[in-house]
Amino acid sequence: MTPQQLRTLCLSFNAAVEDFPFNPETSVFKVLGKLFALTGLEARPLTVNLKCDPDDAVRLRGEHPGLIIPGYHMNKRHWNTVTVDGDLPDRLVRELVEDSYDLVVAGLPRAERLRLDRP
């Protein structure tokens, strides 16, 4: 997956926006103000921090050593750092980004979740 494909994927979700709160090189993708993906799109290898169910996070790290690791500078129980321009299938990367978005949306107040469901 290329940096542009990753950006396009992250922005494809309902109400997703790209922000640069840390520096101009670090893209933070949010839904209603809550972070679901963080990446340096110019970095090599290209990695992205994604929220993950704690049990799935451990399983994925075991299945993909070196490509999925505990979240860099994040809560290591709930976040993974995923190398997206390596040997992971793009399909899996897409699923992990979508799962991160869904987990963040699930944690939003009910009224905000309902607003996301409206056309």
Side-chain angles (χ1 to χ4, degrees):
M1 182 171 287
T2 68
Q4 188 55 44
Q5 288 171 323
L6 179 60
R7 172 183 274 132
T8 299
L9 172 62
C10 289
L11 291 173
S12 71
F13 298 101
N14 195 9
V17 297
E18 183 177 18
D19 193 12
F20 300 90
F22 304 117
N23 58 52
E25 295 83 33
T26 304
S27 293
V28 176
F29 296 94
K30 298 178 179 180
V31 55
L32 299 182
K34 301 293 183 181
L35 164 75
F36 71 91
L38 180 141
T39 184
L41 290 170
E42 302 302 320
R44 297 298 171 266
L46 178 61
T47 63
V48 61
N49 284 356
L50 299 170
K51 190 162 191 165
C52 193
D53 172 81
D55 293 331
D56 288 340
V58 172
R59 178 184 55 78
L60 287 162
R61 293 171 196 163
E63 290 175 358
H64 306 282
L67 295 173
I68 300 178
I69 60 174
Y72 181 70
H73 283 296
M74 306 293 276
N75 178 323
K76 305 216 181 314
R77 179 171 153 77
H78 295 277
W79 290 84
N80 278 337
T81 297
V82 179
T83 301
V84 300
D85 62 355
D87 292 330
L88 287 179
D90 286 353
R91 177 191 52 74
L92 176 59
V93 173
R94 284 191 296 275
E95 289 173 7
L96 295 175
V97 173
E98 183 175 359
D99 288 348
S100 182
Y101 174 87
D102 289 344
L103 283 168
V104 171
V105 168
L108 293 171
R110 184 174 184 272
E112 290 183 351
R113 288 194 317 268
L114 291 174
R115 260 196 358 228
L116 285 174
D117 290 338
R118 292 191 191 131

